[in-house]
Amino acid sequence: MFKKKISLSFAIILMVAGIGISYFLMIKIGRKAPVEAVSDNAVMNCTYNLTRLGGYEFIRPLLFSEEECESQKLIPIKNELQSLISGYKNSGVITNASVYIRKLEQGEWISIGEGEQYYPGSLLKVPELITFMKMNERSPGLLDKKITYSTALNLPKQAIYVSKSIEVGKTYSIRELIYYMIAYSDNYATMLLNQQMDVNIFKKVFIDLGIPEPDLTKKDIPITAKNYSYFMRALFNASYLSIDDSEYCTELLSHSDFTGGMLNSLPRDIKVVHKFGEAGDGIDAHFNESGIIYINKSPYLITIMTKGKRNNDLPPIVSMISKKVFDMISST
């Protein structure tokens, strides 16, 4: 029995000594215990902002989940764009430019000139499109309603970039007028639609998406590049309209025939849904474009807004910014 006790005690001493020696060697050699991988956003303690749709008694549908922090992976793109924009500003070609980029599958984003506001011009045709889809939800069949363009309308401002327009004396369905408004950015079709649009629903679209309510008593509705991007995100996510209506709207935007801006520098086989807008005058010109670029099964949203003295100077700037972003994202 005495021998057994000695043997047991000796074994315990050897075990404790072994643990101590192992610990000493780990410190001496510099080995460390494995550390769980932590994402960049976790290190930055990034939080999320949730945008939910109100107006219901028991539910609050989720529209957007927004990371507060910009993506560290996209900072090289931001640095390149800031340098590019600074060059254009120093040369006097533009007075300002803002860019919002979001990788839609991953939720990574960056923003340049986030607080700067621009006159959206025809970009407002996208929330008007969404408004009519909401109106059609309440009154099914509304899009098939016929309207006759009986008397020529006078535009408050002549557009620089024009395409096809509706013709006086012809009758169109609201659905056809919407196509002219989006695909050809036809202001005559838009004016007819304005006469049919529920202004309260139009305002509510902004409010629901977390964008300041537009003051329709004023000539222009200034907006930031980041805020405008919510319209495109809502369509891509199908979080505001039904899935079928969201698909209809984005497919319609893929028919936009303006190629002088962000599409000008992109490969022709790339799918893009987009809308452009021009505003301002000969002293303070604005040109903006927002689109979703479908690349490598990882679509990204880009909204580019520019200010300058001449409208014709601005689309090439949008084209160069678009190309820079496309080249950098497609190479990753």
Side-chain angles (χ1 to χ4, degrees):
M1 172 131 4
F2 183 72
K3 289 183 179 180
K4 287 184 179 179
K5 287 183 179 179
I6 293 177
S7 299
L8 181 59
S9 300
F10 184 72
I12 293 173
I13 292 171
L14 285 178
M15 182 176 67
V16 173
I19 293 173
I21 292 171
S22 298
Y23 180 75
F24 175 80
L25 289 175
M26 285 181 65
I27 296 176
K28 197 71 175 176
I29 297 172
R31 292 180 59 189
K32 295 181 180 179
V35 178
E36 183 179 353
V38 180
S39 67
D40 290 340
N41 288 337
V43 172
M44 296 174 65
N45 194 28
C46 191
T47 59
Y48 280 82
N49 291 321
L50 302 181
T51 302
R52 295 183 179 274
L53 183 61
Y56 298 92
E57 185 175 358
F58 298 109
I59 61 172
R60 291 291 303 278
L62 179 63
L63 295 177
F64 306 111
S65 176
E66 184 80 47
E67 262 188 314
E68 286 188 345
C69 309
E70 291 185 307
S71 168
Q72 295 303 301
K73 296 178 183 177
L74 299 180
I75 291 300
I77 297 178
K78 180 172 183 174
N79 293 338
E80 287 284 337
L81 293 182
Q82 286 177 322
S83 177
L84 186 66
I85 291 170
S86 294
Y88 287 129
K89 290 174 69 174
N90 291 337
S91 67
V93 179
I94 61 173
T95 56
N96 219 332
S98 296
V99 185
Y100 178 83
I101 301 167
R102 185 179 190 87
K103 298 185 76 172
L104 292 167
E105 296 289 348
Q106 298 83 5
E108 300 168 343
W109 65 275
I110 52 172
S111 182
I112 298 171
E114 186 170 315
E116 190 72 17
Q117 293 187 322
Y118 300 79
Y119 298 142
S122 287
L123 285 185
L124 291 177
K125 292 169 181 174
V126 172
E128 182 159 350
L129 165 65
I130 295 173
T131 298
F132 272 98
M133 303 312 294
K134 280 293 184 183
M135 292 169 60
N136 193 61
E137 288 179 4
R138 300 184 180 186
S139 304
L142 173 70
L143 300 186
D144 297 321
K145 178 182 177 180
K146 301 290 185 179
I147 299 173
T148 300
Y149 183 24
S150 56
T151 305
L153 297 170
N154 293 319
L155 297 176
K157 180 179 179 293
Q158 189 62 44
I160 296 176
Y161 306 104
V162 294
S163 183
K164 297 180 181 180
S165 294
I166 57 175
E167 299 177 25
V168 177
K170 290 190 175 182
T171 299
Y172 301 88
S173 67
I174 288 182
R175 189 185 305 275
E176 289 171 324
L177 291 174
I178 287 175
Y179 188 89
Y180 271 85
M181 177 179 71
I182 297 298
Y184 309 128
S185 202
D186 180 14
N187 288 332
Y188 294 105
T190 305
M191 289 184 71
L192 280 185
L193 288 170
N194 289 346
Q195 297 171 5
Q196 305 293 321
M197 184 178 68
D198 188 323
V199 174
N200 291 325
I201 295 179
F202 181 77
K203 291 181 179 179
K204 190 173 185 297
V205 170
F206 283 73
I207 296 169
D208 286 345
L209 298 184
I211 305 169
E213 178 181 344
D215 185 353
L216 301 183
T217 63
K218 295 184 178 180
K219 181 180 178 181
D220 294 297
I221 303 173
I223 194 169
T224 66
K226 184 175 182 179
N227 276 349
Y228 185 82
S229 297
Y230 284 117
F231 296 122
M232 305 297 281
R233 288 176 60 187
L235 292 178
F236 180 83
N237 293 338
S239 57
Y240 190 60
L241 300 175
S242 70
I243 291 176
D244 288 342
D245 285 351
S246 297
E247 177 73 5
Y248 170 76
C249 291
T250 49
E251 194 271 338
L252 187 57
L253 286 163
S254 73
H255 289 267
S256 178
D257 68 349
F258 180 75
T259 59
M262 63 170 57
L263 267 64
N264 188 50
S265 57
L266 299 183
R268 297 306 177 204
D269 60 340
I270 296 293
K271 290 183 179 180
V272 179
V273 302
H274 68 115
K275 187 70 190 76
F276 80 98
E278 54 176 291
D281 49 37
I283 300 174
D284 182 27
H286 296 233
F287 181 86
N288 318 298
E289 194 163 6
S290 183
I292 299 173
I293 318 298
Y294 294 80
I295 176 176
N296 297 334
K297 297 183 179 180
S298 181
Y300 65 90
L301 164 64
I302 179 169
T303 299
I304 306 169
M305 295 188 162
T306 59
K307 296 178 184 179
K309 295 180 180 179
R310 295 178 297 274
N311 283 96
N312 290 333
D313 291 341
L314 303 179
I317 307 300
V318 171
S319 177
M320 290 301 298
I321 292 174
S322 173
K323 176 174 172 51
K324 176 69 71 174
V325 174
F326 178 84
D327 289 345
M328 294 189 73
I329 288 183
S330 61
S331 65
T332 58

